[in-house]
Amino acid sequence: MSSIFFPPLLQQINSEIARHAAVDLYVLRLDLMHPLVNGNKWFKLKYNLLEAKEKNFTTLLTFGGAYSNHIYATAAAGNLFGFRTIGVIRGEQRLPLNPTLSFAVQQGMQLVYLNREMYGQRNTPALQEYLQQRFGEVFIIPEGGCNLNGVRGCTEIVGDAMPTAGYAYAFNHICVACGTATTLAGITLSLDQKQRAIAFPVLKNGAFLAQEIENLLTNYLASGLPAPYTSPADWELVCDYHFGGYAKVNDELLQFSQQFRGEHGIPLDYVYTAKMFYGVMDLLKQGFFRRGDSLLLLHTGGLQGNVGMEKRISSKSPAKASLQA
Ligand SMILES: Cc1ncc(COP(=O)(O)O)c(C=O)c1O
């Protein structure tokens, strides 16, 4: 499998807020890795694609909502690396297809819709067997790339995407937006004990993710799969910046994203990175970090989702906008 070309991805943020807090602020621009398969998506997919190839599967099947970054990236990666792809989408079909699903179809993905009740069974052996019977031998990747292959790829993020080996150790805090926590789990296994990962859940009541993270880490360490470290670095969940829940936004978040892009030239996606960046800037103002701290914020991509989100925002009050179908 050919490797992906990395342009220089590390960017310093010159912000008055960070200067005032005496904190160094850098962004790792994973969104720039590749035009289609970028952000944390590439890392979560990489070992799934390799396993599928090794086991001679020709078709990948995965799950997601109608605006899913994971569906978008799997469709593109499947096309790039010669797999057929099937996307199992939560809910009813809506025509015309939104930009995410139109793109997936253009990449050759076959879309299948499951009602919410059936979709809720997606990780059960019964539903997976049904899908295998319906579509033949398919390599199943869970929603969001949340499996041990996904964690494995994410253990490589800070090592692979840095300008030089070992550069990641210059930072004592690594900040990341958190959905399934696969990315966070991988990150904690790539940091030394002096570093700390801070995850910002983008869904409401995200504290439950602590148990998910423990489970992912326990299972990963028991699996014998490789990782830079055999015990995870410290991590912490900051659950106050979900803005009402998954894919919910308000005027404040939208204004923050526009201003951030204007000042620093960095576009943020509204569902994940905007919430994390907002949270970090707010915590800086509150004195959460110590003087002399050095922060690395992971830009995990997801910008494709802004197209659909902006369409919805322009058709209704921004405060009510939501991507949930
Ligand atoms: C752009 C973006 N950032 C962050 C995340 C969160 O990653 P994870 O689900 O591994 O916590 C996702 C979801 O995969 C995402 O699409």
Side-chain angles (χ1 to χ4, degrees):
M1 196 171 297
S2 61
S3 70
I4 286 201
F5 168 68
F6 290 103
L9 301 179
L10 197 61
Q11 186 172 338
Q12 187 167 16
I13 308 278
N14 292 308
S15 134
E16 190 45 44
I17 298 169
R19 249 194 312 279
H20 191 253
V23 164
D24 278 338
L25 208 55
Y26 282 80
V27 180
L28 191 60
R29 298 283 311 269
L30 302 176
D31 58 309
L32 298 178
M33 278 172 46
H34 184 273
L36 303 178
V37 190
N38 59 42
N40 56 349
K41 294 293 159 293
W42 166 245
F43 294 94
K44 292 209 268 188
L45 285 172
K46 175 179 169 185
Y47 288 102
N48 281 300
L49 300 180
L50 283 167
E51 187 184 339
K53 271 265 191 276
E54 269 162 30
K55 294 186 171 165
N56 293 320
F57 283 92
T58 54
T59 304
L60 308 172
L61 180 146
T62 196
F63 305 87
Y67 293 87
S68 162
N69 295 325
H70 171 70
I71 288 287
Y72 184 99
T74 306
N79 196 18
L80 276 170
F81 295 110
F83 291 99
R84 274 188 64 220
T85 52
I86 299 171
V88 179
I89 309 300
R90 183 184 63 228
E92 306 295 312
Q93 183 185 41
R94 292 194 184 180
L95 295 174
L97 293 177
N98 72 34
T100 303
L101 296 183
S102 298
F103 170 84
V105 169
Q106 277 161 26
Q107 297 294 306
M109 182 176 257
Q110 178 186 350
L111 300 181
V112 181
Y113 296 83
L114 288 186
N115 65 39
R116 279 165 188 274
E117 197 187 330
M118 266 180 100
Y119 189 88
Q121 310 290 311
R122 64 191 174 282
N123 295 329
T124 63
L127 194 91
Q128 301 214 343
E129 215 165 281
Y130 159 79
L131 292 169
Q132 297 280 7
Q133 272 175 14
R134 184 163 163 196
F135 297 109
E137 286 292 300
V138 291
F139 185 85
I140 297 181
I141 304 175
E143 184 183 63
C146 178
N147 61 6
L148 298 187
N149 283 328
V151 176
R152 180 177 181 186
C154 292
T155 67
E156 298 178 356
I157 292 180
V158 292
D160 268 19
M162 282 291 174
T164 53
Y167 206 96
Y169 298 116
F171 300 96
N172 63 352
H173 291 86
I174 315 294
C175 302
V176 62
C178 186
T180 64
T182 314
T183 309
L184 174 76
I187 296 289
T188 65
L189 292 170
S190 63
L191 303 180
D192 72 21
Q193 297 299 317
K194 292 195 271 327
Q195 297 176 293
R196 181 180 188 81
I198 307 184
F200 293 75
V202 297
L203 16 84
K204 216 174 183 165
N205 304 324
F208 79 92
L209 283 167
Q211 190 56 52
E212 302 285 318
I213 295 162
E214 293 294 357
N215 294 345
L216 273 172
L217 287 170
T218 305
N219 292 339
Y220 191 83
L221 292 170
S223 72
L225 288 169
Y229 291 93
T230 50
S231 60
D234 266 1
W235 54 268
E236 174 178 358
L237 288 175
V238 175
C239 297
D240 306 327
Y241 298 100
H242 55 74
F243 287 83
Y246 182 74
K248 297 272 195 316
V249 299
N250 64 15
D251 294 351
E252 200 179 345
L253 187 70
L254 296 175
Q255 274 163 20
F256 169 80
S257 304
Q258 279 158 16
Q259 200 178 333
F260 195 87
R261 184 180 190 152
E263 281 175 21
H264 306 294
I266 300 178
L268 302 173
D269 85 291
Y270 305 119
V271 179
Y272 291 96
T273 48
K275 294 183 181 182
M276 184 269 281
F277 277 66
Y278 181 104
V280 169
M281 299 312 274
D282 197 49
L283 291 176
L284 279 168
K285 287 187 217 158
Q286 291 175 29
F288 177 91
F289 296 102
R290 282 200 296 240
R291 296 177 77 77
D293 275 350
S294 194
L295 271 53
L296 181 65
L297 280 55
L298 301 188
H299 191 316
T300 40
L303 293 168
Q304 68 84 24
N306 281 6
V307 183
M309 178 64 111
E310 277 156 9
K311 274 194 173 172
R312 288 171 74 102
I313 288 168
S314 63
S315 66
K316 59 167 115 173
S317 154
K320 288 189 191 144
S322 159
L323 277 182
Q324 278 180 313

